[in-house]
Amino acid sequence: HDRPDHPPRLADVIALVSTSPARLMIEVKSSVDASRMARALRELLGQGHAESRLCWGSLSPDVSANLRAADARRPLVAIVDRAETLSAFASLQPEYWAVDRRLLLGAFQAQIPARRSGLWSWTVNDLALAQALIVSGVDAVITDHPARFAGITR
């Protein structure tokens, strides 16, 4: 991305990750038409390499339900910042859980329903905290500084 004063376009981000093993998560805001977005993503991605690694989610269980209905094949991420949204997200059977790190520091992790794939924590910028979360069962951390965490493994 050559314009630091503007965020990259989705097409630019997809081109960057198309040759890496990275998973790309799109956080969808409440004002989006999920059906229209699903169509646009299919057109943008085609059958390219990034297609299988693109997932989406929202902080809103209602928006997430619309995303699931618009494209049931696309992996859904339950983005959780409040404990009271757990049951609504659990009914959608998300493939991934992205949970605010503050919720994962206590007994909250045990309350997360059985998950099919991964438990991610966001936004983690402290190496010691990232290591502690991974030891506690978190599968991945979302960070503003990915190079800092390159050597962390379970």
Side-chain angles (χ1 to χ4, degrees), residues 58-80:
S58 176
L59 285 161
S60 163
D62 292 336
V63 171
S64 295
N66 291 338
L67 295 173
R68 178 65 90 197
D71 187 348
R73 295 176 305 123
R74 173 107 25 239
L76 182 67
V77 182
I79 306 174
V80 181

Side-chain angles (χ1 to χ4, degrees), residues 13-93:
V13 173
I14 290 170
L16 283 173
V17 301
S18 67
T19 58
S20 80
R23 181 164 297 282
L24 177 62
M25 180 186 79
I26 297 175
E27 180 183 344
V28 179
K29 305 299 182 183
S30 60
S31 61
V32 73
D33 176 338
S35 298
R36 187 172 165 210
M37 183 165 202
R39 283 191 307 276
L41 281 173
R42 281 192 292 272
E43 289 172 17
L44 183 62
L45 293 167
Q47 296 302 315
H49 182 63
E51 166 69 15
S52 64
R53 293 178 290 107
L54 183 98
C55 54
W56 58 5
S58 176
L59 285 161
S60 163
D62 292 336
V63 171
S64 295
N66 291 338
L67 295 173
R68 178 65 90 197
D71 187 348
R73 295 176 305 123
R74 173 107 25 239
L76 182 67
V77 182
I79 306 174
V80 181
D81 67 344
R82 298 183 332 263
E84 55 271 16
T85 62
L86 267 182
S87 62
F89 277 121
S91 69
L92 300 172
Q93 299 181 338

Side-chain angles (χ1 to χ4, degrees), residues 68 72 75-76 90 92-97 113-119:
R68 178 65 90 197
L76 182 67
L92 300 172
Q93 299 181 338
E95 284 76 13
Y96 301 97
W97 292 84
R115 54 192 198 271
R116 291 189 263 177
S117 291
L119 174 62

Side-chain angles (χ1 to χ4, degrees), residues 25 27 29 57-60 77-83 85 89 96-105 108 112 119-126 129-130 133 138-144 149:
M25 180 186 79
E27 180 183 344
K29 305 299 182 183
S58 176
L59 285 161
S60 163
V77 182
I79 306 174
V80 181
D81 67 344
R82 298 183 332 263
T85 62
F89 277 121
Y96 301 97
W97 292 84
V99 180
D100 184 315
R101 72 187 182 291
R102 293 168 292 196
L103 294 174
L104 291 175
L105 295 175
F108 181 80
I112 296 173
L119 174 62
W120 307 338
S121 182
W122 55 272
T123 300
V124 181
N125 290 321
D126 178 83
L129 176 58
L133 287 166
V138 170
D139 299 303
V141 294
I142 299 169
T143 182
D144 296 325
F149 297 89

